[in-house]
Amino acid sequence: RNVRAKLLYSIRDPETRPWNYRRPRGPDDPHPADTGGENELKEVEIRDGRFYNTKALHSGNYGKDLDDRNLLTLDSCGFELAKVPEVNDLKLSLEDFYGGRRIQNEYYPVIAEFVKKHTGAAHVKITSHTLRNGKMMNRKNLPTEPMKERAQAVSGYAHMIHGDYTESAATSSFKRTSICPDERHYRKGRFAIFCVWKSIRKEPVKNDPLCLLDERSLLKDDKIDGDVFGYGFQTSVYRLDK
């Protein structure tokens, strides 16, 4: 069902780029605080994407008898809802996701193959993954000792509306990606960076759900360039002007 909620937008300031530090600031950093930039909560309608995809899929015509606005596809709106049965076949546990080796050894190849088939890409490379859990950002809160010992860094929820890469940052990230000698010919041609999200619990998500923006509703002037500073890297992201 559709709901209304307040989302955090940015306010454009022609003199200041918004910023965010994901690491402790040092004496040489140029900013006086961990975050900067004016923000504002704005109430918007959030639509249930499962309804739109299901309606389109059940029609069997994929747009021939439906308005294109009912289709949520990578090409039409920049994201897509999909099921990957092979992931269920892996029977991964929470411990696997919080630091287990099975993620890189078994989950990565399944997702890479799915993306390759779904997009027609000649080559797919997974560079990393992120866990988001506001209550378990501190390893001490993880429920079992093996999870505490092996846990990857756990991040909180990103409440600010944003895009992970600006166009220039995406190109820089692509060029920085480490490759094997037999992958060198993939340095040329078109590329795309995808985020593949899933809930890792069996229970439905009730708090802090993932919301995605239909890019057909976005104007170029809506984007605000912002800076992110992490351990060993600096990159640029898009924020959304209110």
Side-chain angles (χ1 to χ4, degrees):
R1 64 188 181 90
N2 300 341
V3 298
R4 296 193 66 83
K6 291 184 178 181
L7 302 182
L8 193 59
Y9 287 74
S10 293
I11 299 176
R12 187 182 302 278
D13 182 347
E15 298 182 359
T16 304
R17 286 169 62 102
W19 72 86
N20 179 41
Y21 282 83
R22 297 181 183 173
R23 58 163 174 80
R25 284 179 299 111
D28 296 329
D29 288 318
H31 300 105
D34 291 339
T35 61
E38 295 296 323
N39 307 311
E40 182 176 309
L41 286 170
K42 182 178 180 181
E43 185 174 293
V44 297
E45 182 182 43
I46 301 174
R47 297 177 181 176
D48 186 347
R50 294 168 295 185
F51 167 78
Y52 287 84
N53 259 31
T54 301
K55 184 175 181 180
L57 293 173
H58 283 178
S59 75
N61 292 315
Y62 294 91
K64 293 180 181 178
D65 61 351
L66 290 172
D67 191 301
D68 285 343
R69 289 173 296 180
N70 288 321
L71 297 175
L72 301 180
T73 67
L74 286 173
D75 291 333
S76 67
C77 64
F79 68 89
E80 191 164 332
L81 304 179
K83 293 184 177 180
V84 188
E86 294 82 359
V87 169
N88 295 330
D89 295 339
L90 295 177
K91 301 187 184 305
L92 295 167
S93 67
L94 277 177
E95 287 195 6
D96 290 324
F97 279 100
Y98 282 93
R101 296 182 180 228
R102 295 187 63 199
I103 298 305
Q104 284 84 355
N105 296 340
E106 300 178 45
Y107 183 70
Y108 276 22
V110 167
I111 295 300
E113 186 62 23
F114 168 78
V115 173
K116 186 175 182 179
K117 290 181 178 179
H118 200 61
T119 64
H123 181 67
V124 174
K125 186 178 185 69
I126 297 179
T127 58
S128 65
H129 69 276
T130 299
L131 296 167
R132 292 197 180 276
N133 189 322
K135 294 181 179 179
M136 296 187 185
M137 291 174 61
N138 188 329
R139 291 189 183 192
K140 294 179 181 179
N141 294 332
L142 294 173
T144 69
E145 289 304 318
M147 289 169 70
K148 293 177 184 179
E149 293 172 2
R150 300 179 305 181
Q152 305 277 346
V154 180
S155 302
Y157 305 113
H159 294 119
M160 172 67 68
I161 299 176
H162 69 281
D164 285 344
Y165 300 91
T166 61
E167 292 182 20
S168 60
T171 300
S172 298
S173 178
F174 173 71
K175 291 180 178 179
R176 290 197 308 267
T177 301
S178 60
I179 59 173
C180 302
D182 60 349
E183 297 176 326
R184 288 177 181 170
H185 57 288
Y186 294 118
R187 282 295 194 192
K188 298 180 180 180
R190 299 171 60 203
F191 75 92
I193 299 176
F194 296 106
C195 294
V196 182
W197 292 101
K198 79 178 300 295
S199 173
I200 61 175
R201 300 188 69 93
K202 295 180 180 179
E203 299 83 3
V205 175
K206 296 181 179 179
N207 298 317
D208 300 289
L210 176 67
C211 297
L212 298 171
L213 174 68
D214 188 334
E215 69 174 2
R216 292 170 292 189
S217 67
L218 185 67
L219 300 176
K220 185 176 182 180
D221 291 341
D222 293 336
K223 300 175 183 177
I224 300 174
D225 287 7
D227 297 316
V228 174
F229 300 85
Y231 287 97
F233 74 90
Q234 176 183 343
T235 189
S236 299
V237 302
Y238 283 131
R239 295 193 182 188
L240 193 61
D241 191 355
K242 73 179 185 66

